[in-house]
Every structure is written in structure tokens, then in C-alpha cells.
Amino acid sequence: CMQQGCRTTLVVITLLGSTYLPTGALAGESVNPGIPGPATSEALACFVPSNCVNSFDSLGLPPLRFRGSTADGMARLKTTLATFPEAQIVSSTAHYLETIFTTTIGFQDAVEFIVDEGAQRIDFRSRSKFGLFDFGKNRSRMRDFAASFEKAQSSGTPADRN
């Protein structure tokens, strides 16, 4: 195709002042690791920092901390997610959980969690699936989520007693 002068173009669609980037590696597709192990900063990287927050970047948020096994951490995640009616779990393995949060006006944000039992931490990435800017929504949601997660742990929910 290079000999014929063909070129490849990334199509970006503008709709109501927002730019839509296709899902996939450029937009930060799901990591859904098939093997257990600690999270890496590459797996949960924010490819578009203006619509994403994670637990690795210098401007990110701290990881969630838990006590116990991977199953305990995952149980706490699911218990906390149940208090967020806008959240829907779309994929889950022993160490990985992916959730879609839908705002009242229909925007969707993907939140991914990776449980690291050895470090007793849960790393995450929360990113908008639509648009280049989230106006701080992912950051504020994850702060609220972290506060709820911590409250559940300090109150000694059943997952903490296993």
C-alpha cells in the first residue's frame, strides 16, 4: 500500500463538544490478566490523563489496602461496589475485577481493580470510555469509593472476619 500512496488515518468523531476515541489499546483497553500476580503500572496506565486516574501515577490516588487473602480483598471490593447503584460488574477473576459506572446522563466509566495479596493492596484505574475530559469525575468517584472501602474495613464487615 505504501507504493500506491495509501495512508492510514485515525478517525476521531466530535459529538456535542466531546471527542470520541475508539476503545482498544489507544483508549486503554481492559487489562483482564489471565494469570495471577501483582499489578504493574503498565497494565493500569492512564493513556489519556485528562479522563483517567489510577493508583500508580505521581498524580494518582493511593491504592486500596486490605487485610487477609485475595478472596477477602475481592469480597470487600464487591461489598463496596454494591453500595454504588451506578456500578455494574462486567468481568471478574480471582485477582481482577472490571466494573462499568454509568452516570445519570449515560456516560460510562470503566474501573478496573487488581488485587495483590502479597502487598495487601488493590490497584485500580478509572477512566472515561467517552471523551477526552472527565472534569474530575473519575478522581472524585475513586476518592468516594476509597472512603467507603476503608469504612467497610474499619467497621469489620463479614469479609474482614474470615
Side-chain angles (χ1 to χ4, degrees):
C1 191
M2 295 276 273
Q3 296 168 346
Q4 298 171 354
C6 298
R7 63 182 180 161
T8 304
T9 306
L10 173 65
V11 177
V12 179
I13 303 168
T14 303
L15 176 68
L16 299 175
S18 294
T19 303
Y20 172 76
L21 291 174
T23 58
L26 178 64
E29 67 187 17
S30 300
V31 296
N32 196 0
I35 57 172
T40 65
S41 57
E42 295 84 21
L44 296 175
C46 285
F47 297 101
V48 183
S50 59
N51 75 359
C52 180
V53 66
N54 66 21
S55 58
F56 284 106
D57 294 339
S58 60
L59 298 175
L61 297 172
L64 305 172
R65 297 290 181 174
F66 72 99
R67 295 182 301 270
S69 67
T70 298
D72 293 333
M74 192 61 74
R76 175 137 5 271
L77 272 178
K78 290 178 179 180
T79 298
T80 305
L81 281 166
T83 67
F84 288 80
E86 68 275 21
Q88 177 184 3
I89 296 172
V90 295
S91 178
S92 181
T93 68
H95 296 266
Y96 172 83
L97 186 114
E98 181 180 8
T99 306
I100 299 295
F101 282 78
T102 304
T103 68
T104 54
I105 59 172
F107 288 107
Q108 293 187 333
D109 300 326
V111 182
E112 296 171 275
F113 300 94
I114 298 177
V115 180
D116 182 346
E117 182 177 341
Q120 297 284 281
R121 67 187 268 161
I122 300 172
D123 287 293
F124 61 85
R125 171 177 65 184
S126 180
R127 64 177 176 82
S128 299
K129 292 180 68 100
F130 184 83
L132 293 176
F133 298 97
D134 70 357
F135 304 100
K137 180 63 178 172
N138 284 293
R139 181 174 294 275
S140 66
R141 177 188 299 114
M142 290 313 295
R143 281 186 178 142
D144 291 345
F145 187 88
S148 294
F149 186 88
E150 184 62 33
K151 183 178 177 185
Q153 181 154 290
S154 64
S155 68
T157 60
D160 196 42
R161 294 188 202 125
N162 290 336

